[in-house]
Amino acid sequence: MTGLTRISEVLNLAGVKNNSRPFNEGDVWFVCPDCRLVQTAGQATVKDSDDPRRITEYACGSCDAQVAAVVHWGVQAQTRSYRLGSYAIETPVPIEISVEGSHKKVVFGSVDEPVQ
């Protein structure tokens, strides 16, 4: 892959399914560690990373604080990370995933605080 590798693509490439459909950026939720805005990956600002360790970076859509990054697996993570196939999602905050067909979200990995 070249260019932006999105969190939803990493989930889908790893074979993770949202019941019967692939994930999209609106299924992935996090809370900004700075301004506390609850947002989806689709609402965050997404860009190619200038950091050679990272592929894609996600910043808060309000205050521009970093909320997540997609990295190649094996790169030393700077914060919590979740391995999915040959990629990892690096994030300073818990990630929650919307469950298709319900209003529920499930926590991806360990949780410090649930998404409200």
Side-chain angles (χ1 to χ4, degrees):
M1 284 184 181
T2 59
L4 295 176
T5 301
R6 296 181 179 271
I7 292 173
S8 58
E9 290 177 277
V10 171
L11 291 165
N12 294 326
L13 286 170
V16 179
K17 296 285 184 211
N18 193 354
N19 287 331
S20 62
R21 67 170 176 79
F23 283 97
N24 64 57
E25 294 288 273
D27 295 324
V28 181
W29 293 83
F30 28 67
V31 178
C32 176
D34 289 355
C35 75
R36 310 303 298 161
L37 177 68
V38 177
Q39 62 197 298
T40 67
Q43 294 167 321
T45 302
V46 184
K47 67 174 187 156
D48 282 320
S49 180
D50 295 331
D51 181 339
R53 294 181 332 94
R54 296 180 169 153
I55 303 165
T56 305
E57 294 181 348
Y58 288 76
C60 175
S62 178
C63 74
D64 209 37
Q66 180 158 345
V67 291
V70 175
V71 300
H72 290 288
W73 177 246
V75 171
Q76 182 65 39
Q78 301 299 310
T79 61
R80 155 189 314 142
S81 64
Y82 306 102
R83 180 182 179 192
L84 292 155
S86 59
Y87 296 96
I89 300 168
E90 184 180 281
T91 178
V93 295
I95 293 175
E96 293 197 0
I97 306 292
S98 295
V99 178
E100 179 189 22
S102 77
H103 297 297
K104 296 181 181 180
K105 296 184 190 105
V106 294
V107 177
F108 200 75
S110 65
V111 144
D112 295 326
E113 300 175 42
V115 173
Q116 300 292 324

